[in-house]
Structures are given as C-alpha cells and as structure tokens.
Amino acid sequence: MGDSDEELLSRVASGDPAAARAVVGRKLPRLLSLAGRMLGDAQEAEDVAQEAFLRVWKQAPKWRPGEARFDTWLHRVALNLCYDRLRRRRELAYAEPPEQADEGPGPDRGLQALDAARRVNAALQALPDRQREAIVLCHYQELGNIEAAAVMGVSVEALESLLGRGRRALRAALIDLKEA
Amino acid sequence: MTPERFETLAEAYGGDVTRWPAAAREAAAALMAEKPAWAGEVLARADDLDVLLDAFVPPQASADLAGRILVGAPRSRPRWAGWLIPGGMGAGLAAACAAGVLVGAQLHGASSQPSASDADALVAVVGDDDLGLYLDEEA
C-alpha cells in the first residue's frame, strides 16, 4: 500500500518532487473527470485541474491531517473553480446570446443520436448545476452519499432528491438513445 | 424497507446495489429476495441509465498537462542555499541585487549625453573604467 494523501502532502510541502509527481498521478485523472463532466469542455477541464493543483501546492505546507479528507477538500476546490467558469459563461451568454443553443434530439439529428457520448454530455450540461454536481460526484466520481453530501454542503436527503431529479431528467432527455 | 424507498434509492444511486448507502443494502437485499421480479425491473430501469451515463468519457488530457502542473510544485532549497544565505546575508544579497537593477535602469534610460549627476551616480557604483567604456560606446 502506498503513502496516504496526508503523508504525500507533507512530503510535497518539504519540496519532494517524487511526492509531487505521486499526488499528480493519483489525483489528476479524478480532477479531469470531475471538471470534464461539470463543464463538458476538455480544455476548460485542464485549466481547472491546473488551477486546483496550484492551490494544492499552496495548501500543502498548511495541511493539518485529520481536519478534513484531502480528497473531499480537493473536490470542493475543483467544483468552486468549475462554478466560477459556469458563472462567467452565463454572464457571457447574457451579454452575447449564442446563435444556436439547441442541443436536443430532433427529426434531422439521426446521426447525432448515434453519438451517445456527445448526447450524454449535452444532457448533463443541460441539467441544473446542483443536479449535475450530485450525479457527477455519486455516479462518476463514485463518492459515498455522506462524502458527496459533505462536498456539496447539503444533507443526504437533499443529495438523494437532487440525484433523483437529475436522473429522471437525464432519462427523459436520452430516452431515444435507449430505444435506438 | 418499503418498495417506495427501494425505488427512491434506485432512482438516486442507480441499478448497482453495491453503490447504494451501506446502511440500506441489507434491507434492500431482503426486499429483493421477497419480490425478485419487481426488484429486478426497478434495478434494470436504473441500470439502463447507468450504462448510458458511462458512454460519456471525457477526452484524454494533453500529454504535457502533468508536466505543466508539476512546474508549480514546491521545491526544496538546495543545501548550499542555506549555507550561502544565512539570515542577514540574504538581505545584503537582496540589497546588492536591487542596486544592480537600479544601475541597469539608469544605464538603459540614459541619453547619449548623460548629465553630470547621472555620471557621478554611475561612477560611484560601477567605477571609472567601466563608466568610461560605457560613455565611449554611447558617444
């Protein structure tokens, strides 16, 4: 078994390059998965991952083991960065409305309907942010309900409600994919 | 566990009961044993959505992303740095650097006809010979 996150952070703080590489190897795929699904944009997900790691490097010397789980803290940092970007997008969209925003299925979208990944991404992005966040944390990041609720700052009951509403909306948006 | 609660959990956490909250799994298993056909339908419906969701895999990251991230990681000071700059010597070195920057700025900003006060200031810092070279080049 390898070093715990806390042990690695302590070594990172003392300037150990092997520990920094180990933290990146361990956490980068999860950060990209989180940001990629929250934002639906690979480049922006990379930017979020880079910014999140800048905060990890800054936080490492101050990290106090036992106060919080590093993974929970990192998810929260990355989600805040995602929300900053989603907010900026909305402000831009308000200032300059896109010419064509419709991503849903239609009679002339047969080819697009076959592209399941793109359709799922579009359906996820169309969800209210908090429902998408709940689904990303529980389904894709595989956090337990208590940890996901802690990351989101809600009760487990509220998390379940967000998950249920989100999944029902996704099922409705993707029903033609299932039938195809 | 009531059937309604079972459906709520399937709707929230999906068709794989091992991903449901640990505290609910035992009661869920009991209900599945009691109503296998009904429970199977509920789970299959949830599983259909799980499979669709899994179709979305974010693209691979750029090959150099990890390298770019590691550039910002904390680095330990080389051991000689502690020996070279113990306490007050660091401040002295910083002051010397600042003086160098000041001289550089003055050299850069000087016109082809430096004023007497400029020349005096430069002589004080870089010495007669070096200043002579500078003035010859500028002339």
Side-chain angles (χ1 to χ4, degrees), chain A residues 12 14-15 20-21 32 37 42 46 50 53 57 117 120-121 124 138-140 142 145 160 163 167-168 170-171 178, chain B residues 5 11-14 19 21 45-46 48-50 52-56 58 61-62 68-70 72-74 76:
Chain A
V12 165
S14 63
R21 281 195 299 275
L32 288 171
R37 283 161 172 140
E46 290 196 11
Q50 250 186 295
F53 269 104
W57 305 146
V120 173
N121 186 12
L124 266 176
C138 288
H139 182 80
Y140 292 113
E142 299 188 5
N145 60 339
E160 280 180 10
L163 285 169
R167 286 176 62 99
R168 277 194 291 279
L170 286 174
R171 185 175 290 116
K178 198 218 154 207
Chain B
R5 178 65 183 149
E11 195 62 69
Y13 299 104
R19 292 175 63 174
R45 200 164 54 238
D48 285 342
L49 183 60
D50 293 341
L52 280 178
L53 291 180
D54 289 340
F56 174 38
S62 311
R68 279 186 276 137
I69 287 171
L70 284 166
S76 56

Side-chain angles (χ1 to χ4, degrees), chain A residues 20-141:
Chain A
R21 281 195 299 275
V23 171
V24 171
R26 190 180 288 182
K27 301 299 178 188
L28 180 57
R30 281 175 69 65
L31 274 185
L32 288 171
S33 158
L34 176 77
R37 283 161 172 140
M38 279 301 292
L39 299 169
D41 181 290
Q43 184 53 55
E44 281 201 282
E46 290 196 11
D47 292 344
V48 163
Q50 250 186 295
E51 288 175 48
F53 269 104
L54 279 179
R55 294 177 195 210
V56 172
W57 305 146
K58 209 170 157 188
Q59 186 66 24
K62 295 180 259 175
W63 190 262
R64 291 195 200 130
E67 265 191 12
R69 277 194 68 218
F70 175 62
D71 210 44
T72 306
W73 174 84
L74 188 55
H75 270 85
R76 193 60 259 162
V77 166
L79 281 168
N80 285 343
L81 292 167
C82 289
Y83 274 110
D84 287 345
R85 284 168 183 270
L86 290 169
R87 205 172 303 121
R88 255 176 272 152
R89 269 190 206 168
R90 269 186 221 111
E91 286 163 6
L92 274 176
Y94 184 74
E96 300 167 31
E99 285 178 17
Q100 188 177 6
D102 177 23
E103 286 289 335
D108 58 346
R109 291 179 183 267
L111 284 176
Q112 191 178 348
L114 295 174
D115 187 352
R118 222 168 97 189
R119 284 285 311 284
V120 173
N121 186 12
L124 266 176
Q125 301 314 310
L127 286 181
D129 292 343
R130 295 289 271 175
Q131 291 179 21
R132 180 166 68 256
E133 185 180 346
I135 288 170
V136 169
L137 290 177
C138 288
H139 182 80
Y140 292 113
Q141 301 298 103

Side-chain angles (χ1 to χ4, degrees), chain B residues 21-126:
Chain B
R25 284 181 218 148
E26 200 176 321
L31 192 60
M32 286 162 71
E34 190 187 326
K35 297 170 176 277
W38 172 83
E41 271 177 39
V42 171
L43 293 179
R45 200 164 54 238
D47 194 55
D48 285 342
L49 183 60
D50 293 341
V51 171
L52 280 178
L53 291 180
D54 289 340
F56 174 38
V57 179
Q60 290 283 313
S62 311
D64 64 342
L65 178 60
R68 279 186 276 137
I69 287 171
L70 284 166
V71 166
R75 286 169 195 280
S76 56
R77 283 193 316 173
R79 276 195 289 180
W80 54 261
W83 168 78
L84 185 67
I85 315 174
M89 278 183 71
L93 193 58
C97 289
V101 169
L102 177 65
V103 170
Q106 285 178 324
L107 287 173
H108 181 73
S111 67
S112 57
Q113 297 295 324
S115 70
S117 60
D118 286 337
D120 290 342
L122 289 172
V123 169
V125 179
V126 299

Side-chain angles (χ1 to χ4, degrees), chain B residues 107 122 125-136:
Chain B
L107 287 173
L122 289 172
V125 179
V126 299
D128 271 329
D129 292 340
D130 293 339
L131 182 61
L133 281 173
Y134 166 74
L135 292 174
D136 287 343

